[in-house]
Amino acid sequence: MADAEDFCPHLDSIGEVTKEDLILKSKGTCESCGVGGPNLWACLQDGCQSVGCGESYADHSTLHAQSKKHNLTVNLTTFRVWCYTCEKEVFLDPQAPPASQTTSPRLSHRDFPSPAHPLKSVPIAVGDDGESESDEDDIKPRGLTGMKNIGNSCYMNAALQALSNCPPLTQFFLECGGLVRTDKKPALCKSYQKLVSELWHKKRPSYVVPSSLYHGIKLINPLFRGYSQQDTQEFLRCLMDQLHEELKEPILPENQEQEEEERDDQREGERGGTAEEDFLSCDSEPDNDAYMHCSSRSCSPHPVESISKHSSTPPRSSPLRTAHSYVLKKAQVLSGGKKRSEVRYRSVISDIFDGSILSLVQCLTCDRVSTTIETFQDLSLPIPGKEDLAKLHSTIHQSTVIKAGTCGDSYAAQGWLAFVMDYIRRFVVSCIPSWFWGPMITLEDCLAAFFAADELKGDNMYSCERCKKLRNGVKYCKVLRLPEVLCIHLKRFRHEVMYSFKIGSHVSFPLEGLNLRPFLAKECVSRITTYDLLAVICHHGSASSGHYISYCQNVINGQWYEFDDQYVTEVHETVVQNAEAYVLFYRKSSEEAERERQKVVSLAAMKESGLLQFYISREWLNKFNTFAEPGPISNQSFLCAHGGIPPNKYHYIDDLVVILPQSVWEYLYNRFGGGPAVNHLYVCSICQVEIEALAKRRKTEIDTFIKLNKAFQAEEAPSVIYCISMQWFREWEAFVKAKDSDPPGPIDNSKVALTKSSGHVQLKQGADYGQISEETWNYLLNIYGGGPEIAIRQTVAQYQDPEHLHGEQKIEAETRAG
């Protein structure tokens, strides 16, 4: 019960207001200056409809309250109420405890958000808004919807059902629908989101027709046009690549530096003086162009005191600061140009499916080791034959030729029970003729064959950079980072010049406890190394024809189901184990992660008074609810580099954030690190100025070009014509038309220029170039720099059809084609 001294006597002045009214007002603007949300304030005085901006702008809400002598106002983003007369927060619910702490000198009353969205543990089967669960819903779990075959589309249906039963991915499309935004055609992510919503809807039909996604994939890849049977693995790769392209976002530079420092610190800390460590670290030359998309290792938690440094007040922008920012960017364009290769992107696809492999090649003469880091989205494993199996099994308890730890060091070392079972299995197999059963092959055998050392000799010798000669070498690879969901493709199909055939050997695979520890590099950043099966895609038939089905485990009831186009049937797990696997999906298993989720749910259920509340990325919270290793908190997904909300995101900020109690935030922050801590949202004025400056620059450049080019086209016989690479010109065109956010680098005519021995530069024959005037060349050169200059001095210019230059998208005044 609230104390009498904490009671606000001004509550009687509140008029009749509903939450729907407040939500409607939150979509409006300040009545004085016209600024939009978030964090608009509505007056609660009876009969007053005033809506004003907060302290992030001109604070017209406070000016209104002072001039009209109105007492109470409500934040239209957080729905918290403030009384100007009492100078404190007011709780409309008489049972709710008022804030017990004194007002912080660092934070004003406007800086206390409240939970607009209750935190919940997020299983797949979450209830639809406004609908209640019934007993029938508990009996019939969701996700058991078939897909109609629309013309040899079983390869697509089986793949989509397998993806649909990957909880991290499906939960993203169900719970983070506001993040599914793209302006890229054919917007396949929207089609997939719609399909997932239909498959997992409470009132699900017996089957759906995935026609939208089917037509979309045909637009992307001509391979899938028509109605012939296709490979399900190729479809998966095409679909996930397109989803990544449509949903990807750049990683902020400071985040890239932090990840690199973390990896460097870990590797430096693990280096020692042993032969194995020297092999993996000394004389290594990593490929700088290869990188990991993201690190699943948690950042070290920062001291909790660092929370206070994230002020609730947005940084004040000044003309000097803004001008300096713009001049710096222009200088970078002139000197360094575009550095597209350094821009890194991430998406929900890369977060879930991307892992990385460390490939090493050792020269057996000088012992030099070269390394390369490669990102993978799936592992394509060979199916070993009799001789390969014999060689693999003979090296299980032996060391290989290389000096460092090999794939077989701990292969199959999973306890005495596993050893006994493996011994019995091999004994039974040895008693049965191979013509009856064939060699017993396990998924671990396929993994061992993939990661086994490969001797480079004979026609396949290694070109050593240190020896400057062809040398015998050894090549092998290890996993540097494990993905959250591991996709394994068994290479069953062989395609020769004249014919194709299918390897029908049965490969046994575990439903639980697939251990990848034997195949990890010592620098591996992943803590959890065991996986449980989610789904398996099977192919029945030959290399020329057949049928795809999938077996998937339902996340709600744990039962296995067969998905055969529009038919869904419950099966026993032994049916799954005996399946002829083609593509398998495994998910990291971790009881620790589930305990942490339950801890957070318990903290969220506790109603504590007088605590701050914090914004957290909805996407990261979805990771926490579905990943075994969610990684550090990444609030940068809704913040700009200056700590505010990018102007293009504030319209849907409610889709990007969840508000947590202080106790929950501190638990997650201390456990996972990351950040930054955010207790106040504001639109970044610095980004707004930069956006306006960029739009002005684009308009100036394209208007000037069109003006100069029209004058050039009006000339009947220009005395000199300058040539410009159409590859560079298309990049510039994409930038000025706002199709690309990055400006092009310096003008690069190297691909269309031919430099003679005399030093004279002339045009390459058959080069893809455009013709522009001397004034246009000087204008672009002054902005971007570059070269070399290619000038054609003639009296009569040769003309070509401008369609040769740009296709359908053309600037108003075309360049003259050469």
Side-chain angles (χ1 to χ4, degrees):
M1 181 71 67
D3 295 335
E5 62 181 3
D6 291 319
F7 177 75
C8 175
H10 308 99
L11 292 177
D12 293 339
S13 65
I14 297 179
E16 183 177 350
V17 63
T18 65
K19 187 175 181 180
E20 288 71 23
D21 295 333
L22 297 180
I23 293 175
L24 184 62
K25 289 182 178 181
S26 70
K27 299 178 181 178
T29 60
C30 172
E31 63 182 20
S32 299
C33 63
V35 69
N39 288 323
L40 293 173
W41 294 79
C43 181
L44 292 179
Q45 187 75 18
D46 189 10
C48 183
Q49 300 295 323
S50 174
V51 175
C53 59
E55 292 175 342
S56 298
Y57 296 95
D59 203 8
H60 285 120
S61 58
T62 300
L63 295 177
H64 165 82
Q66 293 172 346
S67 63
K68 300 293 184 180
K69 305 298 183 183
H70 292 173
N71 302 311
L72 298 166
T73 183
V74 59
N75 186 299
L76 294 177
T77 299
T78 66
F79 299 115
R80 297 188 82 155
V81 179
W82 179 263
C83 180
Y84 286 100
T85 305
C86 297
E87 294 186 345
K88 67 179 182 180
E89 183 180 5
V90 176
F91 293 87
L92 301 182
D93 183 356
Q95 299 298 324
S100 60
Q101 81 279 12
T102 58
T103 304
S104 168
R106 298 181 183 178
L107 304 175
S108 68
H109 67 275
R110 302 289 177 85
D111 304 321
F112 297 96
S114 72
H117 310 277
L119 177 71
K120 54 188 176 183
S121 180
V122 191
I124 287 293
V126 293
D128 294 345
D129 294 338
E131 299 181 9
S132 60
E133 298 289 340
S134 65
D135 294 337
E136 185 180 358
D137 293 324
D138 295 333
I139 298 173
K140 293 183 178 181
R142 305 182 194 180
L144 304 182
T145 306
M147 294 187 197
K148 185 177 181 180
N149 192 312
I150 47 182
N152 272 333
S153 63
C154 60
Y155 68 91
M156 178 184 72
N157 294 346
L160 291 175
Q161 293 288 10
L163 283 181
S164 172
N165 283 276
C166 292
L169 184 64
T170 293
Q171 195 62 44
F172 171 85
F173 280 96
L174 291 179
E175 292 293 316
C176 304
L179 298 176
V180 184
R181 299 171 181 268
T182 185
D183 56 358
K184 299 179 181 178
K185 301 299 181 181
L188 210 61
C189 60
K190 289 287 188 181
S191 300
Y192 185 77
Q193 181 186 34
K194 180 176 180 292
L195 177 65
V196 169
S197 300
E198 293 174 346
L199 293 176
W200 289 89
H201 197 275
K202 183 170 64 176
K203 298 178 180 179
R204 59 180 177 83
S206 60
Y207 67 89
V208 297
V209 184
S211 54
S212 177
L213 195 143
Y214 186 55
H215 295 309
I217 206 75
K218 289 183 176 183
L219 292 175
I220 297 167
N221 193 333
L223 178 67
F224 300 106
R225 295 172 188 172
Y227 294 94
S228 59
Q229 181 67 275
Q230 302 296 336
D231 185 84
T232 191
Q233 175 66 5
E234 292 179 356
F235 171 81
L236 277 169
R237 287 179 175 175
C238 181
L239 173 62
M240 290 198 288
D241 286 347
Q242 183 65 22
L243 291 178
H244 172 73
E245 284 299 315
E246 293 181 358
L247 298 174
K248 70 180 182 182
E249 290 192 350
I251 301 176
L252 294 178
E254 54 265 32
N255 297 340
Q256 297 184 34
E257 293 174 4
Q258 181 181 4
E259 290 178 8
E260 291 170 1
E261 289 174 0
E262 289 169 359
R263 292 199 298 270
D264 292 342
D265 290 343
Q266 179 169 345
R267 292 177 187 177
E268 185 67 29
E270 292 176 348
R271 287 178 183 173
T274 65
E276 177 177 347
E277 291 169 334
D278 290 342
F279 174 77
L280 289 176
S281 59
C282 295
D283 297 326
S284 297
E285 296 182 1
D287 184 353
N288 293 329
D289 292 331
Y291 57 84
M292 293 180 290
H293 283 297
C294 58
S295 174
S296 59
R297 183 172 65 90
S298 303
C299 294
S300 301
H302 302 291
V304 72
E305 289 78 13
S306 66
I307 294 177
S308 63
K309 75 180 181 179
H310 299 285
S311 171
S312 62
T313 305
R316 304 285 183 180
S317 62
S318 65
L320 179 61
R321 181 174 182 178
T322 303
H324 176 72
S325 176
Y326 177 76
V327 170
L328 176 62
K329 289 189 174 183
K330 182 176 180 181
Q332 290 172 341
V333 169
L334 292 175
S335 59
K338 180 184 282 188
K339 298 182 179 179
R340 291 173 179 251
S341 60
E342 295 183 4
V343 179
R344 290 173 50 189
Y345 295 89
R346 58 149 298 277
S347 72
V348 63
I349 299 298
S350 62
D351 289 349
I352 295 174
F353 296 99
D354 274 11
S356 58
I357 283 180
L358 179 67
S359 297
L360 304 102
V361 178
Q362 180 189 14
C363 175
L364 295 182
T365 301
C366 68
D367 291 337
R368 178 184 180 273
V369 177
S370 61
T371 64
T372 304
I373 298 176
E374 300 171 347
T375 300
F376 69 87
Q377 205 170 74
D378 59 70
L379 294 179
S380 291
L381 307 183
I383 300 177
K386 276 186 182 181
E387 295 181 0
D388 299 319
L389 279 176
K391 181 184 291 187
L392 285 172
H393 295 161
S394 67
T395 58
I396 288 178
H397 303 293
Q398 299 176 12
S399 297
T400 57
V401 65
I402 55 179
K403 301 177 182 178
T406 65
C407 305
D409 286 345
S410 55
Y411 172 55
Q414 301 180 28
W416 66 271
L417 182 61
F419 176 80
V420 171
M421 296 300 296
D422 184 67
Y423 180 84
I424 295 174
R425 176 182 65 84
R426 297 190 185 282
F427 175 77
V428 172
V429 171
S430 64
C431 295
I432 300 176
S434 60
W435 59 264
F436 177 79
W437 195 337
M440 174 66 75
I441 307 172
T442 66
L443 186 60
E444 290 84 353
D445 290 331
C446 299
L447 285 165
F450 178 84
F451 288 104
D454 184 18
E455 296 183 17
L456 305 178
K457 58 184 181 180
D459 295 335
N460 196 27
M461 293 179 71
Y462 166 59
S463 178
C464 179
E465 294 185 9
R466 177 180 291 175
C467 298
K468 306 297 182 183
K469 292 181 179 179
L470 290 175
R471 298 290 193 186
N472 289 338
V474 68
K475 177 182 180 180
Y476 77 107
C477 56
K478 296 273 194 172
V479 177
L480 193 60
R481 185 175 61 83
L482 289 168
E484 184 66 27
V485 173
L486 175 64
C487 179
I488 295 178
H489 163 232
L490 297 179
K491 299 166 73 172
R492 290 196 175 276
F493 298 101
R494 299 279 180 87
H495 301 284
E496 305 295 342
V497 178
M498 300 298 295
Y499 65 96
S500 299
F501 65 94
K502 177 184 174 183
I503 300 174
S505 304
H506 177 73
V507 177
S508 64
F509 50 89
L511 298 185
E512 295 178 346
L514 176 65
N515 189 8
L516 293 188
R517 184 171 295 279
F519 313 111
L520 302 184
K522 71 180 185 64
E523 300 96 337
C524 181
V525 297
S526 304
R527 294 184 300 108
I528 299 172
T529 62
T530 57
Y531 286 82
D532 298 334
L533 187 67
L534 287 174
V536 55
I537 302 175
C538 306
H539 178 267
H540 302 301
S542 63
S544 57
S545 64
H547 182 63
Y548 287 100
I549 64 170
S550 60
Y551 295 102
C552 308
Q553 186 181 39
N554 186 274
V555 71
I556 299 174
N557 63 7
Q559 297 296 320
W560 283 92
Y561 293 86
E562 178 189 82
F563 292 84
D564 186 353
D565 287 334
Q566 66 192 63
Y567 303 104
V568 181
T569 308
E570 183 176 344
V571 296
H572 193 268
E573 63 181 31
T574 55
V575 176
V576 180
Q577 289 178 310
N578 291 325
E580 188 178 291
Y582 180 48
V583 180
L584 304 104
F585 289 86
Y586 279 91
R587 180 189 187 185
K588 280 184 179 177
S589 55
S590 175
E591 296 180 358
E592 179 185 355
E594 184 57 36
R595 288 194 297 268
E596 288 177 346
R597 285 191 277 269
Q598 294 303 321
K599 172 69 173 177
V600 167
V601 172
S602 300
L603 288 173
M606 297 172 61
K607 295 185 177 180
E608 304 176 48
S609 62
L611 293 179
L612 291 174
Q613 293 177 322
F614 293 86
Y615 294 91
I616 194 169
S617 164
R618 181 180 295 273
E619 186 174 12
W620 186 88
L621 193 61
N622 180 69
K623 286 186 186 179
F624 172 75
N625 283 318
T626 56
F627 280 40
E629 295 183 281
I633 297 172
S634 52
N635 281 343
Q636 291 85 357
S637 61
F638 64 89
L639 298 175
C640 68
H642 314 107
I645 304 173
N648 63 327
K649 290 186 177 181
Y650 89 91
H651 295 288
Y652 57 97
I653 188 63
D654 285 343
D655 295 331
L656 305 180
V657 300
V658 174
I659 307 179
L660 302 180
Q662 182 176 347
S663 58
V664 176
W665 164 259
E666 289 180 348
Y667 176 83
L668 294 174
Y669 186 74
N670 291 329
R671 172 64 183 85
F672 297 101
V678 180
N679 48 44
H680 178 64
L681 297 178
Y682 61 89
V683 178
C684 181
S685 57
I686 299 176
C687 285
Q688 186 63 45
V689 171
E690 291 179 349
I691 289 173
E692 293 171 357
L694 183 62
K696 183 178 179 181
R697 171 185 171 179
R698 284 174 166 142
K699 186 177 187 305
T700 300
E701 288 189 22
I702 195 170
D703 288 350
T704 304
F705 174 83
I706 291 174
K707 178 182 177 182
L708 294 174
N709 205 50
K710 281 183 176 179
F712 176 55
Q713 289 183 338
E715 293 184 46
E716 293 185 1
S719 59
V720 60
I721 295 174
Y722 281 75
C723 304
I724 191 166
S725 166
M726 287 308 302
Q727 179 178 344
W728 182 91
F729 184 84
R730 293 184 188 103
E731 291 182 4
W732 174 84
E733 184 181 12
F735 167 67
V736 296
K737 288 186 173 183
K739 295 179 179 178
D740 193 334
S741 58
D742 299 323
I747 298 172
D748 184 9
N749 274 347
S750 60
K751 293 184 178 180
V752 299
L754 182 63
T755 305
K756 295 205 167 185
S757 57
S758 61
H760 176 69
V761 179
Q762 67 179 39
L763 187 68
K764 273 186 183 178
Q765 187 175 2
D768 183 19
Y769 76 101
Q771 295 182 349
I772 57 177
S773 67
E774 182 177 4
E775 292 77 11
T776 305
W777 169 263
N778 290 333
Y779 175 72
L780 295 174
L781 187 67
N782 182 53
I783 298 175
Y784 296 99
E789 177 183 301
I790 307 174
I792 301 176
R793 303 185 183 278
Q794 56 185 28
T795 56
V796 180
Q798 302 295 323
Y799 295 93
Q800 283 188 6
D801 185 356
E803 292 290 333
H804 171 73
L805 291 179
H806 308 295
E808 297 178 357
Q809 300 294 330
K810 301 188 294 294
I811 297 180
E812 181 180 338
E814 288 290 357
T815 59
R816 297 184 181 182

